[in-house]
Structures are given as C-alpha cells and as structure tokens.
mmCIF file of all heavy atoms in Angstrom:
data_model
loop_
_atom_site.group_PDB
_atom_site.id
_atom_site.type_symbol
_atom_site.label_atom_id
_atom_site.label_comp_id
_atom_site.label_asym_id
_atom_site.label_seq_id
_atom_site.Cartn_x
_atom_site.Cartn_y
_atom_site.Cartn_z
ATOM 1 N N MET A 16 -124.022 62.910 30.334
ATOM 2 C CA MET A 16 -123.462 62.279 29.137
ATOM 3 C C MET A 16 -124.576 61.804 28.215
ATOM 4 O O MET A 16 -125.685 61.545 28.636
ATOM 5 C CB MET A 16 -122.590 61.069 29.527
ATOM 6 C CG MET A 16 -121.318 61.441 30.276
ATOM 7 S SD MET A 16 -120.084 62.284 29.270
ATOM 8 C CE MET A 16 -119.367 60.902 28.368
ATOM 9 N N LYS A 17 -124.205 61.705 26.956
ATOM 10 C CA LYS A 17 -125.141 61.192 25.963
ATOM 11 C C LYS A 17 -124.703 59.796 25.526
ATOM 12 O O LYS A 17 -123.512 59.504 25.455
ATOM 13 C CB LYS A 17 -125.161 62.105 24.744
ATOM 14 C CG LYS A 17 -125.567 63.534 25.048
ATOM 15 C CD LYS A 17 -127.049 63.635 25.327
ATOM 16 C CE LYS A 17 -127.446 65.116 25.429
ATOM 17 N NZ LYS A 17 -128.911 65.269 25.416
ATOM 18 N N HIS A 18 -125.690 58.973 25.231
ATOM 19 C CA HIS A 18 -125.401 57.603 24.835
ATOM 20 C C HIS A 18 -126.274 57.229 23.643
ATOM 21 O O HIS A 18 -127.439 57.594 23.572
ATOM 22 C CB HIS A 18 -125.680 56.645 25.999
ATOM 23 C CG HIS A 18 -125.422 55.205 25.669
ATOM 24 N ND1 HIS A 18 -124.152 54.660 25.693
ATOM 25 C CD2 HIS A 18 -126.253 54.213 25.298
ATOM 26 C CE1 HIS A 18 -124.230 53.382 25.345
ATOM 27 N NE2 HIS A 18 -125.488 53.082 25.104
ATOM 28 N N PHE A 19 -125.673 56.507 22.711
ATOM 29 C CA PHE A 19 -126.427 56.027 21.550
ATOM 30 C C PHE A 19 -126.042 54.589 21.273
ATOM 31 O O PHE A 19 -124.855 54.250 21.222
ATOM 32 C CB PHE A 19 -126.131 56.894 20.323
ATOM 33 C CG PHE A 19 -126.657 56.308 19.038
ATOM 34 C CD1 PHE A 19 -128.018 56.293 18.783
ATOM 35 C CD2 PHE A 19 -125.798 55.762 18.105
ATOM 36 C CE1 PHE A 19 -128.510 55.735 17.607
ATOM 37 C CE2 PHE A 19 -126.280 55.206 16.922
ATOM 38 C CZ PHE A 19 -127.634 55.196 16.682
ATOM 39 N N ALA A 20 -127.048 53.741 21.113
ATOM 40 C CA ALA A 20 -126.831 52.346 20.741
ATOM 41 C C ALA A 20 -127.294 52.172 19.303
ATOM 42 O O ALA A 20 -128.473 52.349 18.990
ATOM 43 C CB ALA A 20 -127.608 51.410 21.671
ATOM 44 N N CYS A 21 -126.355 51.849 18.429
ATOM 45 C CA CYS A 21 -126.704 51.723 17.010
ATOM 46 C C CYS A 21 -127.790 50.669 16.792
ATOM 47 O O CYS A 21 -128.619 50.788 15.904
ATOM 48 C CB CYS A 21 -125.453 51.398 16.194
ATOM 49 S SG CYS A 21 -125.694 51.558 14.423
ATOM 50 N N GLY A 22 -127.780 49.638 17.651
ATOM 51 C CA GLY A 22 -128.772 48.571 17.521
ATOM 52 C C GLY A 22 -130.203 49.055 17.689
ATOM 53 O O GLY A 22 -131.145 48.377 17.293
ATOM 54 N N ASP A 23 -130.384 50.244 18.276
ATOM 55 C CA ASP A 23 -131.732 50.788 18.435
ATOM 56 C C ASP A 23 -132.349 51.143 17.086
ATOM 57 O O ASP A 23 -133.583 51.169 16.942
ATOM 58 C CB ASP A 23 -131.711 52.050 19.305
ATOM 59 C CG ASP A 23 -131.508 51.714 20.789
ATOM 60 O OD1 ASP A 23 -131.535 50.523 21.135
ATOM 61 O OD2 ASP A 23 -131.326 52.657 21.569
ATOM 62 N N ILE A 24 -131.501 51.435 16.088
ATOM 63 C CA ILE A 24 -132.050 51.786 14.774
ATOM 64 C C ILE A 24 -131.611 50.795 13.701
ATOM 65 O O ILE A 24 -132.251 50.703 12.669
ATOM 66 C CB ILE A 24 -131.666 53.234 14.355
ATOM 67 C CG1 ILE A 24 -130.159 53.419 14.290
ATOM 68 C CG2 ILE A 24 -132.298 54.248 15.290
ATOM 69 C CD1 ILE A 24 -129.752 54.756 13.666
ATOM 70 N N ILE A 25 -130.527 50.062 13.961
ATOM 71 C CA ILE A 25 -130.081 49.035 13.016
ATOM 72 C C ILE A 25 -129.957 47.718 13.766
ATOM 73 O O ILE A 25 -128.931 47.430 14.373
ATOM 74 C CB ILE A 25 -128.739 49.423 12.367
ATOM 75 C CG1 ILE A 25 -128.856 50.810 11.761
ATOM 76 C CG2 ILE A 25 -128.319 48.350 11.352
ATOM 77 C CD1 ILE A 25 -127.985 51.103 10.591
ATOM 78 N N PRO A 26 -131.028 46.931 13.721
ATOM 79 C CA PRO A 26 -131.038 45.679 14.480
ATOM 80 C C PRO A 26 -129.821 44.819 14.134
ATOM 81 O O PRO A 26 -129.472 44.662 12.970
ATOM 82 C CB PRO A 26 -132.341 44.997 14.029
ATOM 83 C CG PRO A 26 -133.220 46.134 13.609
ATOM 84 C CD PRO A 26 -132.289 47.166 13.014
ATOM 85 N N GLY A 27 -129.174 44.315 15.175
ATOM 86 C CA GLY A 27 -128.027 43.446 14.975
ATOM 87 C C GLY A 27 -126.699 44.144 15.132
ATOM 88 O O GLY A 27 -125.683 43.491 15.323
ATOM 89 N N CYS A 28 -126.689 45.479 15.051
ATOM 90 C CA CYS A 28 -125.432 46.202 15.249
ATOM 91 C C CYS A 28 -125.213 46.395 16.746
ATOM 92 O O CYS A 28 -126.103 46.871 17.441
ATOM 93 C CB CYS A 28 -125.441 47.558 14.551
ATOM 94 S SG CYS A 28 -123.827 48.384 14.682
ATOM 95 N N GLU A 29 -124.049 46.018 17.227
ATOM 96 C CA GLU A 29 -123.784 46.069 18.659
ATOM 97 C C GLU A 29 -122.929 47.258 19.064
ATOM 98 O O GLU A 29 -122.492 47.351 20.211
ATOM 99 C CB GLU A 29 -123.123 44.754 19.105
ATOM 100 C CG GLU A 29 -124.052 43.549 18.923
ATOM 101 C CD GLU A 29 -123.423 42.251 19.419
ATOM 102 O OE1 GLU A 29 -122.242 42.266 19.793
ATOM 103 O OE2 GLU A 29 -124.131 41.234 19.419
ATOM 104 N N SER A 30 -122.675 48.183 18.144
ATOM 105 C CA SER A 30 -121.847 49.339 18.462
ATOM 106 C C SER A 30 -122.606 50.328 19.334
ATOM 107 O O SER A 30 -123.793 50.593 19.096
ATOM 108 C CB SER A 30 -121.394 50.034 17.179
ATOM 109 O OG SER A 30 -120.520 49.202 16.451
ATOM 110 N N THR A 31 -121.923 50.869 20.337
ATOM 111 C CA THR A 31 -122.507 51.908 21.178
ATOM 112 C C THR A 31 -121.532 53.080 21.272
ATOM 113 O O THR A 31 -120.321 52.907 21.110
ATOM 114 C CB THR A 31 -122.811 51.385 22.598
ATOM 115 O OG1 THR A 31 -121.607 50.929 23.206
ATOM 116 C CG2 THR A 31 -123.823 50.254 22.552
ATOM 117 N N PHE A 32 -122.076 54.260 21.531
ATOM 118 C CA PHE A 32 -121.268 55.479 21.538
ATOM 119 C C PHE A 32 -121.663 56.335 22.734
ATOM 120 O O PHE A 32 -122.843 56.442 23.064
ATOM 121 C CB PHE A 32 -121.492 56.270 20.246
ATOM 122 C CG PHE A 32 -121.268 55.435 18.997
ATOM 123 C CD1 PHE A 32 -122.310 54.730 18.424
ATOM 124 C CD2 PHE A 32 -120.004 55.340 18.436
ATOM 125 C CE1 PHE A 32 -122.103 53.941 17.293
ATOM 126 C CE2 PHE A 32 -119.788 54.560 17.305
ATOM 127 C CZ PHE A 32 -120.834 53.858 16.730
ATOM 128 N N THR A 33 -120.663 56.942 23.343
ATOM 129 C CA THR A 33 -120.893 57.828 24.477
ATOM 130 C C THR A 33 -120.097 59.106 24.258
ATOM 131 O O THR A 33 -118.972 59.060 23.764
ATOM 132 C CB THR A 33 -120.446 57.151 25.789
ATOM 133 O OG1 THR A 33 -121.131 55.909 25.922
ATOM 134 C CG2 THR A 33 -120.774 58.027 26.985
ATOM 135 N N ALA A 34 -120.698 60.249 24.576
ATOM 136 C CA ALA A 34 -120.027 61.536 24.407
ATOM 137 C C ALA A 34 -120.694 62.551 25.330
ATOM 138 O O ALA A 34 -121.806 62.327 25.806
ATOM 139 C CB ALA A 34 -120.112 61.996 22.956
ATOM 140 N N PRO A 35 -120.021 63.680 25.575
ATOM 141 C CA PRO A 35 -120.603 64.692 26.461
ATOM 142 C C PRO A 35 -121.843 65.363 25.878
ATOM 143 O O PRO A 35 -122.681 65.875 26.617
ATOM 144 C CB PRO A 35 -119.476 65.725 26.623
ATOM 145 C CG PRO A 35 -118.233 65.029 26.196
ATOM 146 C CD PRO A 35 -118.653 64.006 25.186
ATOM 147 N N ASP A 36 -121.956 65.400 24.536
ATOM 148 C CA ASP A 36 -123.099 66.084 23.935
ATOM 149 C C ASP A 36 -123.457 65.425 22.596
ATOM 150 O O ASP A 36 -122.749 64.542 22.104
ATOM 151 C CB ASP A 36 -122.803 67.568 23.734
ATOM 152 C CG ASP A 36 -121.474 67.795 23.020
ATOM 153 O OD1 ASP A 36 -121.069 66.927 22.225
ATOM 154 O OD2 ASP A 36 -120.847 68.841 23.255
ATOM 155 N N ASP A 37 -124.582 65.884 22.010
ATOM 156 C CA ASP A 37 -125.053 65.303 20.755
ATOM 157 C C ASP A 37 -124.001 65.402 19.657
ATOM 158 O O ASP A 37 -123.831 64.474 18.864
ATOM 159 C CB ASP A 37 -126.332 66.011 20.286
ATOM 160 C CG ASP A 37 -127.550 65.632 21.116
ATOM 161 O OD1 ASP A 37 -127.414 64.794 22.027
ATOM 162 O OD2 ASP A 37 -128.633 66.183 20.840
ATOM 163 N N ALA A 38 -123.294 66.535 19.605
ATOM 164 C CA ALA A 38 -122.303 66.726 18.549
ATOM 165 C C ALA A 38 -121.201 65.665 18.635
ATOM 166 O O ALA A 38 -120.711 65.180 17.612
ATOM 167 C CB ALA A 38 -121.705 68.122 18.628
ATOM 168 N N GLY A 39 -120.847 65.328 19.874
ATOM 169 C CA GLY A 39 -119.823 64.304 20.067
ATOM 170 C C GLY A 39 -120.294 62.941 19.606
ATOM 171 O O GLY A 39 -119.514 62.143 19.081
ATOM 172 N N ILE A 40 -121.580 62.665 19.816
ATOM 173 C CA ILE A 40 -122.148 61.404 19.330
ATOM 174 C C ILE A 40 -122.145 61.388 17.805
ATOM 175 O O ILE A 40 -121.708 60.413 17.175
ATOM 176 C CB ILE A 40 -123.602 61.223 19.844
ATOM 177 C CG1 ILE A 40 -123.635 61.087 21.365
ATOM 178 C CG2 ILE A 40 -124.262 60.033 19.162
ATOM 179 C CD1 ILE A 40 -123.181 59.749 21.909
ATOM 180 N N LEU A 41 -122.615 62.465 17.202
ATOM 181 C CA LEU A 41 -122.726 62.505 15.740
ATOM 182 C C LEU A 41 -121.367 62.373 15.069
ATOM 183 O O LEU A 41 -121.254 61.759 14.003
ATOM 184 C CB LEU A 41 -123.418 63.797 15.298
ATOM 185 C CG LEU A 41 -124.901 63.881 15.650
ATOM 186 C CD1 LEU A 41 -125.458 65.233 15.216
ATOM 187 C CD2 LEU A 41 -125.705 62.756 15.018
ATOM 188 N N ALA A 42 -120.326 62.951 15.678
ATOM 189 C CA ALA A 42 -118.992 62.836 15.089
ATOM 190 C C ALA A 42 -118.602 61.369 14.962
ATOM 191 O O ALA A 42 -117.980 60.959 13.974
ATOM 192 C CB ALA A 42 -117.975 63.591 15.941
ATOM 193 N N GLN A 43 -119.001 60.585 15.949
ATOM 194 C CA GLN A 43 -118.656 59.161 15.936
ATOM 195 C C GLN A 43 -119.579 58.361 15.030
ATOM 196 O O GLN A 43 -119.134 57.467 14.298
ATOM 197 C CB GLN A 43 -118.743 58.591 17.358
ATOM 198 C CG GLN A 43 -117.788 59.230 18.346
ATOM 199 C CD GLN A 43 -118.009 58.710 19.759
ATOM 200 O OE1 GLN A 43 -117.771 57.547 20.058
ATOM 201 N NE2 GLN A 43 -118.495 59.580 20.633
ATOM 202 N N THR A 44 -120.879 58.679 15.084
ATOM 203 C CA THR A 44 -121.819 57.858 14.320
ATOM 204 C C THR A 44 -121.732 58.139 12.822
ATOM 205 O O THR A 44 -122.018 57.245 12.026
ATOM 206 C CB THR A 44 -123.267 58.076 14.804
ATOM 207 O OG1 THR A 44 -123.592 59.478 14.743
ATOM 208 C CG2 THR A 44 -123.434 57.577 16.226
ATOM 209 N N ARG A 45 -121.310 59.336 12.441
ATOM 210 C CA ARG A 45 -121.122 59.603 11.005
ATOM 211 C C ARG A 45 -120.033 58.701 10.446
ATOM 212 O O ARG A 45 -120.183 58.115 9.367
ATOM 213 C CB ARG A 45 -120.760 61.064 10.782
ATOM 214 C CG ARG A 45 -121.953 61.994 10.952
ATOM 215 C CD ARG A 45 -121.522 63.451 10.937
ATOM 216 N NE ARG A 45 -122.657 64.334 11.212
ATOM 217 C CZ ARG A 45 -122.519 65.593 11.622
ATOM 218 N NH1 ARG A 45 -121.314 66.114 11.790
ATOM 219 N NH2 ARG A 45 -123.582 66.328 11.856
ATOM 220 N N ARG A 46 -118.942 58.593 11.180
ATOM 221 C CA ARG A 46 -117.843 57.735 10.741
ATOM 222 C C ARG A 46 -118.283 56.273 10.754
ATOM 223 O O ARG A 46 -117.993 55.506 9.829
ATOM 224 C CB ARG A 46 -116.636 57.936 11.667
ATOM 225 C CG ARG A 46 -115.374 57.232 11.180
ATOM 226 C CD ARG A 46 -114.152 57.695 11.946
ATOM 227 N NE ARG A 46 -114.232 57.376 13.365
ATOM 228 C CZ ARG A 46 -114.230 58.271 14.355
ATOM 229 N NH1 ARG A 46 -114.137 59.547 14.074
ATOM 230 N NH2 ARG A 46 -114.312 57.899 15.608
ATOM 231 N N HIS A 47 -119.011 55.891 11.790
ATOM 232 C CA HIS A 47 -119.505 54.518 11.901
ATOM 233 C C HIS A 47 -120.469 54.191 10.764
ATOM 234 O O HIS A 47 -120.431 53.090 10.208
ATOM 235 C CB HIS A 47 -120.197 54.343 13.262
ATOM 236 C CG HIS A 47 -120.853 53.018 13.454
ATOM 237 N ND1 HIS A 47 -120.155 51.855 13.680
ATOM 238 C CD2 HIS A 47 -122.167 52.663 13.426
ATOM 239 C CE1 HIS A 47 -121.013 50.851 13.801
ATOM 240 N NE2 HIS A 47 -122.237 51.301 13.654
ATOM 241 N N ALA A 48 -121.319 55.138 10.417
ATOM 242 C CA ALA A 48 -122.295 54.913 9.346
ATOM 243 C C ALA A 48 -121.593 54.618 8.027
ATOM 244 O O ALA A 48 -122.026 53.764 7.257
ATOM 245 C CB ALA A 48 -123.204 56.131 9.193
ATOM 246 N N VAL A 49 -120.501 55.332 7.785
ATOM 247 C CA VAL A 49 -119.750 55.135 6.538
ATOM 248 C C VAL A 49 -118.995 53.807 6.576
ATOM 249 O O VAL A 49 -119.077 52.996 5.645
ATOM 250 C CB VAL A 49 -118.765 56.305 6.321
ATOM 251 C CG1 VAL A 49 -117.847 56.021 5.143
ATOM 252 C CG2 VAL A 49 -119.529 57.600 6.092
ATOM 253 N N GLU A 50 -118.283 53.572 7.690
ATOM 254 C CA GLU A 50 -117.383 52.419 7.751
ATOM 255 C C GLU A 50 -118.119 51.108 7.977
ATOM 256 O O GLU A 50 -117.734 50.072 7.433
ATOM 257 C CB GLU A 50 -116.352 52.631 8.874
ATOM 258 C CG GLU A 50 -115.404 53.795 8.573
ATOM 259 C CD GLU A 50 -114.410 54.036 9.713
ATOM 260 O OE1 GLU A 50 -114.543 53.410 10.775
ATOM 261 O OE2 GLU A 50 -113.506 54.872 9.507
ATOM 262 N N ALA A 51 -119.169 51.138 8.782
ATOM 263 C CA ALA A 51 -119.838 49.895 9.155
ATOM 264 C C ALA A 51 -121.103 49.641 8.349
ATOM 265 O O ALA A 51 -121.519 48.495 8.193
ATOM 266 C CB ALA A 51 -120.169 49.910 10.646
ATOM 267 N N HIS A 52 -121.734 50.713 7.857
ATOM 268 C CA HIS A 52 -123.033 50.524 7.218
ATOM 269 C C HIS A 52 -123.075 51.018 5.778
ATOM 270 O O HIS A 52 -124.146 51.062 5.156
ATOM 271 C CB HIS A 52 -124.121 51.210 8.048
ATOM 272 C CG HIS A 52 -124.236 50.621 9.430
ATOM 273 N ND1 HIS A 52 -124.576 49.309 9.665
ATOM 274 C CD2 HIS A 52 -124.023 51.157 10.655
ATOM 275 C CE1 HIS A 52 -124.571 49.070 10.972
ATOM 276 N NE2 HIS A 52 -124.228 50.182 11.595
ATOM 277 N N GLY A 53 -121.907 51.397 5.245
ATOM 278 C CA GLY A 53 -121.821 51.708 3.829
ATOM 279 C C GLY A 53 -122.548 52.964 3.388
ATOM 280 O O GLY A 53 -122.844 53.123 2.203
ATOM 281 N N MET A 54 -122.839 53.865 4.346
ATOM 282 C CA MET A 54 -123.464 55.127 3.944
ATOM 283 C C MET A 54 -122.438 55.985 3.203
ATOM 284 O O MET A 54 -121.234 55.885 3.449
ATOM 285 C CB MET A 54 -123.964 55.889 5.174
ATOM 286 C CG MET A 54 -125.312 55.404 5.664
ATOM 287 S SD MET A 54 -126.121 56.653 6.723
ATOM 288 C CE MET A 54 -127.692 55.840 7.008
ATOM 289 N N PRO A 55 -122.903 56.846 2.300
ATOM 290 C CA PRO A 55 -121.966 57.709 1.589
ATOM 291 C C PRO A 55 -121.316 58.721 2.526
ATOM 292 O O PRO A 55 -121.934 59.163 3.492
ATOM 293 C CB PRO A 55 -122.844 58.402 0.532
ATOM 294 C CG PRO A 55 -124.240 58.274 1.028
ATOM 295 C CD PRO A 55 -124.301 57.040 1.878
ATOM 296 N N GLU A 56 -120.050 59.074 2.220
ATOM 297 C CA GLU A 56 -119.369 60.134 2.966
ATOM 298 C C GLU A 56 -120.191 61.415 2.885
ATOM 299 O O GLU A 56 -120.803 61.655 1.854
ATOM 300 C CB GLU A 56 -117.982 60.388 2.348
ATOM 301 C CG GLU A 56 -117.033 59.218 2.442
ATOM 302 C CD GLU A 56 -116.261 59.212 3.760
ATOM 303 O OE1 GLU A 56 -116.555 60.068 4.626
ATOM 304 O OE2 GLU A 56 -115.388 58.362 3.903
ATOM 305 N N PRO A 57 -120.215 62.243 3.931
ATOM 306 C CA PRO A 57 -119.519 62.066 5.219
ATOM 307 C C PRO A 57 -120.367 61.401 6.286
ATOM 308 O O PRO A 57 -120.046 61.509 7.463
ATOM 309 C CB PRO A 57 -119.197 63.516 5.601
ATOM 310 C CG PRO A 57 -120.376 64.291 5.087
ATOM 311 C CD PRO A 57 -120.841 63.579 3.834
ATOM 312 N N GLY A 58 -121.415 60.720 5.889
ATOM 313 C CA GLY A 58 -122.231 60.001 6.862
ATOM 314 C C GLY A 58 -123.315 60.813 7.511
ATOM 315 O O GLY A 58 -124.028 60.329 8.384
ATOM 316 N N THR A 59 -123.469 62.067 7.091
ATOM 317 C CA THR A 59 -124.467 62.929 7.732
ATOM 318 C C THR A 59 -125.898 62.480 7.422
ATOM 319 O O THR A 59 -126.829 62.908 8.088
ATOM 320 C CB THR A 59 -124.292 64.394 7.285
ATOM 321 O OG1 THR A 59 -124.115 64.432 5.874
ATOM 322 C CG2 THR A 59 -123.071 65.007 7.940
ATOM 323 N N ASP A 60 -126.069 61.615 6.419
ATOM 324 C CA ASP A 60 -127.406 61.072 6.150
ATOM 325 C C ASP A 60 -127.960 60.331 7.363
ATOM 326 O O ASP A 60 -129.169 60.165 7.493
ATOM 327 C CB ASP A 60 -127.361 60.106 4.957
ATOM 328 C CG ASP A 60 -127.190 60.834 3.636
ATOM 329 O OD1 ASP A 60 -127.187 62.077 3.638
ATOM 330 O OD2 ASP A 60 -127.058 60.151 2.598
ATOM 331 N N SER A 61 -127.058 59.900 8.247
ATOM 332 C CA SER A 61 -127.506 59.143 9.418
ATOM 333 C C SER A 61 -128.005 60.056 10.536
ATOM 334 O O SER A 61 -128.688 59.589 11.442
ATOM 335 C CB SER A 61 -126.356 58.266 9.944
ATOM 336 O OG SER A 61 -125.278 59.074 10.411
ATOM 337 N N ASP A 62 -127.693 61.349 10.469
ATOM 338 C CA ASP A 62 -128.058 62.253 11.572
ATOM 339 C C ASP A 62 -129.539 62.196 11.944
ATOM 340 O O ASP A 62 -129.873 62.110 13.126
ATOM 341 C CB ASP A 62 -127.681 63.704 11.227
ATOM 342 C CG ASP A 62 -126.172 63.927 11.220
ATOM 343 O OD1 ASP A 62 -125.416 62.958 11.447
ATOM 344 O OD2 ASP A 62 -125.755 65.068 10.969
ATOM 345 N N PRO A 63 -130.463 62.259 10.978
ATOM 346 C CA PRO A 63 -131.893 62.257 11.341
ATOM 347 C C PRO A 63 -132.349 60.950 11.982
ATOM 348 O O PRO A 63 -133.369 60.920 12.662
ATOM 349 C CB PRO A 63 -132.617 62.466 9.996
ATOM 350 C CG PRO A 63 -131.569 62.907 9.037
ATOM 351 C CD PRO A 63 -130.252 62.427 9.546
ATOM 352 N N LEU A 64 -131.597 59.867 11.746
ATOM 353 C CA LEU A 64 -131.923 58.594 12.377
ATOM 354 C C LEU A 64 -131.351 58.527 13.795
ATOM 355 O O LEU A 64 -131.986 58.018 14.722
ATOM 356 C CB LEU A 64 -131.350 57.430 11.553
ATOM 357 C CG LEU A 64 -131.809 57.321 10.099
ATOM 358 C CD1 LEU A 64 -131.010 56.229 9.389
ATOM 359 C CD2 LEU A 64 -133.294 56.999 10.051
ATOM 360 N N VAL A 65 -130.143 59.059 13.929
ATOM 361 C CA VAL A 65 -129.424 58.960 15.195
ATOM 362 C C VAL A 65 -130.001 59.902 16.249
ATOM 363 O O VAL A 65 -130.242 59.510 17.397
ATOM 364 C CB VAL A 65 -127.920 59.256 14.988
ATOM 365 C CG1 VAL A 65 -127.200 59.377 16.321
ATOM 366 C CG2 VAL A 65 -127.268 58.170 14.112
ATOM 367 N N LEU A 66 -130.242 61.163 15.862
ATOM 368 C CA LEU A 66 -130.622 62.186 16.842
ATOM 369 C C LEU A 66 -131.794 61.788 17.745
ATOM 370 O O LEU A 66 -131.711 61.944 18.964
ATOM 371 C CB LEU A 66 -130.914 63.503 16.129
ATOM 372 C CG LEU A 66 -129.651 64.328 15.791
ATOM 373 C CD1 LEU A 66 -130.013 65.494 14.870
ATOM 374 C CD2 LEU A 66 -128.974 64.843 17.050
ATOM 375 N N PRO A 67 -132.914 61.262 17.186
ATOM 376 C CA PRO A 67 -134.040 60.931 18.070
ATOM 377 C C PRO A 67 -133.749 59.753 18.996
ATOM 378 O O PRO A 67 -134.477 59.533 19.951
ATOM 379 C CB PRO A 67 -135.183 60.566 17.098
ATOM 380 C CG PRO A 67 -134.699 60.919 15.734
ATOM 381 C CD PRO A 67 -133.211 61.024 15.785
ATOM 382 N N ALA A 68 -132.685 58.989 18.676
ATOM 383 C CA ALA A 68 -132.397 57.788 19.455
ATOM 384 C C ALA A 68 -131.304 58.011 20.501
ATOM 385 O O ALA A 68 -130.946 57.104 21.227
ATOM 386 C CB ALA A 68 -131.984 56.648 18.511
ATOM 387 N N ILE A 69 -130.763 59.238 20.567
ATOM 388 C CA ILE A 69 -129.741 59.546 21.570
ATOM 389 C C ILE A 69 -130.398 59.674 22.939
ATOM 390 O O ILE A 69 -131.428 60.329 23.091
ATOM 391 C CB ILE A 69 -128.991 60.850 21.227
ATOM 392 C CG1 ILE A 69 -128.150 60.639 19.962
ATOM 393 C CG2 ILE A 69 -128.084 61.281 22.383
ATOM 394 C CD1 ILE A 69 -127.456 61.928 19.481
ATOM 395 N N ARG A 70 -129.798 58.997 23.914
ATOM 396 C CA ARG A 70 -130.330 59.029 25.269
ATOM 397 C C ARG A 70 -129.390 59.782 26.189
ATOM 398 O O ARG A 70 -128.181 59.734 26.032
ATOM 399 C CB ARG A 70 -130.493 57.590 25.813
ATOM 400 C CG ARG A 70 -131.711 56.875 25.261
ATOM 401 C CD ARG A 70 -131.762 55.460 25.802
ATOM 402 N NE ARG A 70 -131.247 54.496 24.816
ATOM 403 C CZ ARG A 70 -130.887 53.248 25.101
ATOM 404 N NH1 ARG A 70 -130.964 52.816 26.338
ATOM 405 N NH2 ARG A 70 -130.459 52.453 24.168
ATOM 406 N N THR A 71 -129.956 60.496 27.154
ATOM 407 C CA THR A 71 -129.136 61.165 28.163
ATOM 408 C C THR A 71 -128.916 60.211 29.316
ATOM 409 O O THR A 71 -129.880 59.620 29.839
ATOM 410 C CB THR A 71 -129.838 62.442 28.654
ATOM 411 O OG1 THR A 71 -130.064 63.303 27.539
ATOM 412 C CG2 THR A 71 -128.984 63.168 29.675
ATOM 413 N N VAL A 72 -127.655 60.027 29.675
ATOM 414 C CA VAL A 72 -127.339 59.082 30.756
ATOM 415 C C VAL A 72 -126.536 59.779 31.851
ATOM 416 O O VAL A 72 -126.012 60.866 31.644
ATOM 417 C CB VAL A 72 -126.552 57.859 30.235
ATOM 418 C CG1 VAL A 72 -127.422 57.024 29.320
ATOM 419 C CG2 VAL A 72 -125.289 58.285 29.518
HETATM 420 ZN ZN1 ZN B 2 -124.001 50.351 13.553
#
C-alpha cells in the first residue's frame, strides 16, 4: 500500500491518504488540494509535491 501524509509538505495539515498505488493517492490528494488548500481545479498542480512524499507501507 501507498501512504501520504499531507503534513509532510504542508505543515499543520493532518490529512493522510492511503491507496493501493500512486494513482489512487493522487486521485485523493488532487481533490484535497482544491478543497482544503485552495489550489485551482483539478488540483494536478499538487502532483509534483505529493509524488516524492508518497511512502510505501
Ligand atoms: Zn492538506
């Protein structure tokens, strides 16, 4: 499984995400980036930040 903690790149955010693969994580973090962090739709601007911080668990 893959795991991503938003707080690793945005201090203070306590949201975490788990999915079978990177694509599953990105599907969630794109929506989170828009809804929680005000990124423009569709949130793909967050991909380069999220990808290096995804951990395999
Ligand atoms: Zn967040």
Side-chain angles (χ1 to χ4, degrees):
M16 293 290 282
K17 301 287 188 168
H18 179 81
F19 169 72
C21 192
D23 285 352
I24 59 171
I25 307 208
C28 185
E29 296 182 354
S30 293
T31 60
F32 307 90
T33 304
D36 50 29
D37 286 358
I40 295 285
L41 291 177
Q43 298 175 67
T44 55
R45 285 171 185 161
R46 188 168 63 241
H47 175 74
V49 172
E50 294 178 353
H52 298 298
M54 278 199 176
E56 296 273 5
T59 46
D60 287 356
S61 64
D62 290 2
L64 302 173
V65 171
L66 278 170
I69 292 175
R70 283 178 260 164
T71 301
V72 293

